[in-house]
Amino acid sequence: MIEAKGLTKVYGEKTAVGGVSFTVQAGRVTGFLGPNGAGKSTTMRMIMGLDAPTSGSVTVNGEPFVQHKAPLREIGALLDAKAVHTSRTAYNHLLAMAATHSIPKSRVREVIEMTGLGDVAKKKVKGFSLGMGQRLGIAAALLGDPQTIILDEPVNGLDPEGVVWVRNLVKYLASEGRTVFLSSHLMSEMALTADHLIVIGRGKIIADAPIADIISGKGQVRTRVRTDQPERLMQLLAGTGVSVEVHERELLEVSGLDPRGIARAALDNQVMVYELTPLQASLEEAYMELTKDEVEYHSHITTGASVPAQAGGK
Amino acid sequence: MSTTTLDRKSIRNSVGPGPAFHRVLNSEFIKFRTLMSTLILLASTAVVMVGFSALGAWGTGQITKQAAEDPQAAAAIAAQGGDLAVTVPTSGIVFAQLILGSLGVLLMSSEFTTGMARSTFAAVPRRLSPFLAKLVVVMVSAFVLTAVATYVAGLVALPILNNYDLKLDLGSSQSVKLLLVNSIYVAAVAAIGMALGTLVRNSAGGIMSLVGLFFVAPIAFQLIPGDFFKEASKYLPGNTISPLTAVEHVPDTLEAWQAGLVLGAWVVVPVALAMILLKKRDV
């Protein structure tokens, strides 16, 4: 179990992580989702004691990571696929790490086989593809057979077969009762892998809920409404927590109020409504919705599908 | 939650050995010997030491031959205690200190430039343990390599010196002293290099600082007018080796014990500083 309390990291003027608190439970896969630069990696480095928090604290299995007697057997981490001296062979890299905890060579060979690195284990890491580097990082994380596993963007650079492998591996590890915490900026990946999701944007937690709740977009009910009196209806619906977007002359998208409430307001005021469609948000949309105010770097591609910026959501 | 805490405690006791110092030392030694670049630097140090010894033997032979006819050269030899041959095996020491000092820099700076440091300190989060283990590996290997290379260099020099009727006794007390003191000195330089590598976290910067300290500063201090720099020059780490190896005290240099203390301080201060910053800084 990982517990963060008010975890904060400030670099000079910039707050990378702004007082986040969350708990990662054992026995399930917890996804850590956020756009690039949201503070995922910084949070993970603080969990591993590599970066000191500016304030706040984080414990792994009840104790700060630094205080564990056998850290590698307690928590295994893939923080950066390139946390390797690339002039060393994969086998020697793992051997050196294993030696710190007297982990036998047989276990080194085991994780090499497990991660499918058998053929390249005696080659220098320099020649590895990004995917092979990821596999080596995962092998290193599994070395000590740890109770808690942290993987930062593990599927980056993996081939499709590797992506499926990671997905099955983390599910299996969680089913054994381990704590699995993995980050990604890809919501689609999270939808397939995680049981629980913590969403971070600009250093703040914006959602912490079971994946099902986030996919169903709870609290983010949107309804498509067609009416011949859009201005009138907008006035009627205006209120706290309700936002209305005008898409076409007679087409509105209302969020913050369910279809029944909209119909009631229309009926009471004699406004004709000729379409009332609840919109199911995909995880992708839900994620965009959650993070649209939190993304640090906006790309400016104008396509028809882009969501117009509008207040609400937060 | 209290029950899970209890469960965890009971699991953790059977979890297995943690990073005790001897294990971290073993890990650092594995890291040391599994890098081709390390082995190349060690081998080239040995080659340079042996090569310079052979050259030194030849050169010394030439000088003494001239001295037989040239009273001026004879006087120069007499001024140096009369025994030139004894310093022949350590002729290449200046280069050994440069290469092994750079090795010290590289072994630590590469941890940071490659990202290996994240693996190292994730496995052993108490950072001083890997630092000290690496320091032991660096210093012991520098010492052993210099000692062995010096002895081999002496063996290679013997037949050449014999040609010129010069005697070199590798078992004499001065020979043994030179071998040990030079080896300790090179180990000290390697330690300074490793401290610089930890402080700078950059290979080029670390090596440049080392070169600046050992090669540029002594020359610059001689060129700057004024007595202050002449005096300060004695306290540079690279200038401690001659008082340490002198047969007798040479005027206008430090006493051997003073030079020992100065060199010790040059090791302890950067190493202590490196340890403090390594603990404080983010990896």
Side-chain angles (χ1 to χ4, degrees):
Chain A
M1 193 170 75
I2 303 167
E3 269 182 295
K5 285 186 196 131
L7 206 54
T8 303
K9 183 72 188 181
V10 181
Y11 295 107
E13 299 265 291
K14 193 174 150 30
T15 303
V17 178
V20 303
S21 299
F22 60 84
T23 304
V24 181
Q25 298 285 359
R28 66 188 189 194
V29 178
T30 302
F32 196 28
L33 179 64
N36 289 327
K40 300 187 297 289
S41 298
T42 307
T43 303
M44 287 181 156
R45 280 203 305 274
M46 286 194 281
I47 297 172
M48 297 302 292
L50 294 173
D51 284 14
T54 309
S55 65
S57 65
V58 58
T59 60
V60 181
N61 302 342
E63 277 178 60
F65 179 63
V66 181
Q67 274 161 32
H68 283 292
K69 289 196 179 68
L72 215 52
R73 297 176 190 273
E74 202 76 45
I75 175 165
L78 160 75
L79 289 183
D80 187 336
K82 289 190 200 76
V84 186
H85 197 308
T86 49
S87 299
R88 213 171 265 128
T89 66
Y91 176 78
N92 283 331
H93 171 70
L94 293 171
L95 195 66
M97 285 191 76
T100 58
H101 286 60
S102 281
I103 294 167
K105 281 180 186 165
S106 57
R107 176 65 185 168
V108 173
R109 282 187 216 105
E110 216 171 280
V111 294
I112 285 174
E113 287 311 317
M114 209 188 285
T115 50
L117 288 172
D119 294 339
V120 293
K122 302 273 174 172
K123 294 208 169 97
K124 284 186 183 174
V125 179
K126 205 170 276 174
F128 279 25
S129 66
L130 185 53
M132 281 147 77
Q134 293 283 17
R135 285 169 186 269
L136 177 58
I138 293 169
L142 296 176
L143 255 188
D145 197 16
Q147 166 63 30
T148 302
I149 292 131
I150 292 185
L151 305 172
D152 194 2
E153 302 271 2
V155 301
N156 258 12
L158 283 181
D159 47 24
E161 185 260 328
V163 172
V164 174
W165 170 71
V166 168
R167 210 176 282 159
N168 292 332
L169 176 74
V170 295
K171 283 182 178 171
Y172 172 71
L173 291 168
S175 75
E176 289 183 313
R178 296 177 210 257
T179 307
V180 181
F181 191 38
L182 82 160
S183 79
S184 178
H185 63 279
L186 302 170
M187 41 248 131
S188 49
E189 188 48 43
M190 286 297 178
L192 292 166
T193 313
D195 304 309
H196 191 93
L197 207 55
I198 296 172
V199 184
I200 188 171
R202 281 212 195 165
K204 299 236 187 265
I205 301 292
I206 38 189
D208 184 347
I211 192 104
D213 287 5
I214 292 182
I215 295 179
S216 70
K218 249 184 198 170
Q220 292 295 327
V221 184
R222 285 188 301 142
T223 310
R224 188 159 66 214
V225 184
R226 283 183 205 270
T227 173
D228 55 0
Q229 286 174 268
E231 290 84 6
R232 174 105 176 93
L233 188 63
M234 277 174 77
Q235 282 169 11
L236 293 170
L237 294 177
T240 44
V242 181
S243 72
V244 182
E245 290 171 24
V246 185
H247 281 216
E248 286 167 29
R249 170 81 190 96
E250 298 196 342
L251 175 61
L252 305 177
E253 222 173 86
V254 181
S255 55
L257 193 63
D258 65 349
R260 180 186 287 269
I262 298 166
R264 170 60 58 196
L267 182 64
D268 288 352
N269 295 282
Q270 302 280 308
V271 175
M272 189 193 74
V273 169
Y274 62 94
E275 185 189 344
L276 205 55
T277 312
L279 298 174
Q280 183 70 292
S282 70
L283 180 61
E284 191 112 19
E285 280 175 302
Y287 174 61
M288 288 296 202
E289 186 65 30
L290 282 169
T291 57
K292 71 178 179 191
D293 298 327
E294 306 293 341
V295 179
E296 197 165 10
Y297 310 103
H298 282 282
S299 45
H300 298 283
I301 305 164
T302 40
T303 65
S306 69
V307 185
Q310 178 96 15
K314 208 154 123 181
Chain B
M1 218 178 85
S2 56
T3 51
T4 57
T5 312
L6 277 176
D7 286 344
R8 183 186 54 74
K9 287 276 184 215
S10 59
I11 294 168
R12 213 154 63 85
N13 286 338
S14 60
V15 112
F21 188 73
H22 69 277
R23 299 198 185 97
V24 179
L25 191 61
N26 182 27
S27 169
E28 287 299 330
F29 183 59
I30 293 172
K31 280 156 77 175
F32 178 80
R33 66 181 161 80
T34 53
L35 276 185
M36 188 55 86
S37 53
T38 306
L39 303 178
I40 290 172
L41 286 180
L42 292 180
S44 45
T45 308
V47 168
V48 166
M49 287 284 288
V50 172
F52 268 83
S53 174
L55 277 176
W58 181 59
T60 307
Q62 292 292 328
I63 289 173
T64 42
K65 225 164 98 181
Q66 282 170 19
E69 298 131 29
D70 181 357
Q72 234 175 348
I77 291 168
Q80 300 203 24
D83 190 0
L84 279 185
V86 76
T87 61
V88 163
T90 51
S91 304
I93 209 75
V94 178
F95 300 97
Q97 73 171 41
L98 177 64
I99 301 173
L100 294 178
S102 303
L103 178 66
V105 172
L106 284 174
L107 284 176
M108 203 58 181
S109 61
S110 68
E111 289 265 340
F112 293 100
T113 54
T114 60
M116 180 68 202
R118 283 188 288 276
S119 291
T120 303
F121 297 123
V124 190
R126 292 179 190 278
R127 298 177 195 167
L128 295 188
S129 173
F131 177 87
L132 290 173
K134 202 184 277 291
L135 188 66
V136 169
V137 170
V138 165
M139 291 185 76
V140 168
S141 59
F143 177 87
V144 170
L145 188 92
T146 310
V148 171
T150 302
Y151 190 75
V152 173
L155 292 179
V156 170
L158 274 178
I160 305 172
L161 289 168
N162 273 342
N163 253 351
Y164 294 99
D165 290 328
L166 284 170
K167 280 208 180 68
L168 171 62
D169 179 4
L170 293 177
S172 76
S173 63
Q174 180 63 8
S175 280
V176 172
K177 181 185 161 188
L178 280 175
L179 182 142
L180 289 177
V181 171
N182 275 295
S183 302
I184 292 169
Y185 170 76
V186 172
V189 177
I192 294 170
M194 198 185 123
L196 290 174
T198 313
L199 292 170
V200 181
R201 293 189 171 191
N202 172 297
S203 303
I207 292 173
M208 283 320 295
S209 323
L210 188 80
V211 169
L213 187 59
F214 281 88
F215 292 88
V216 180
I219 298 168
F221 278 29
Q222 288 303 320
L223 293 179
I224 301 170
D227 287 341
F228 174 78
F229 283 97
K230 295 269 179 305
E231 182 63 22
S233 177
K234 293 185 206 167
Y235 296 90
L236 288 172
N239 287 342
T240 57
I241 184 64
S242 24
L244 280 170
T245 51
V247 185
E248 285 166 29
H249 178 238
V250 181
D252 220 26
T253 62
L254 296 179
E255 297 277 357
W257 64 270
Q258 291 172 319
L261 284 180
V262 168
L263 183 62
W266 272 106
V267 174
V268 170
V269 173
V271 165
L273 205 61
M275 284 166 75
I276 292 167
L277 284 179
L278 182 65
K279 243 185 116 115
K280 277 180 76 173
R281 285 201 280 189
D282 289 343
V283 175

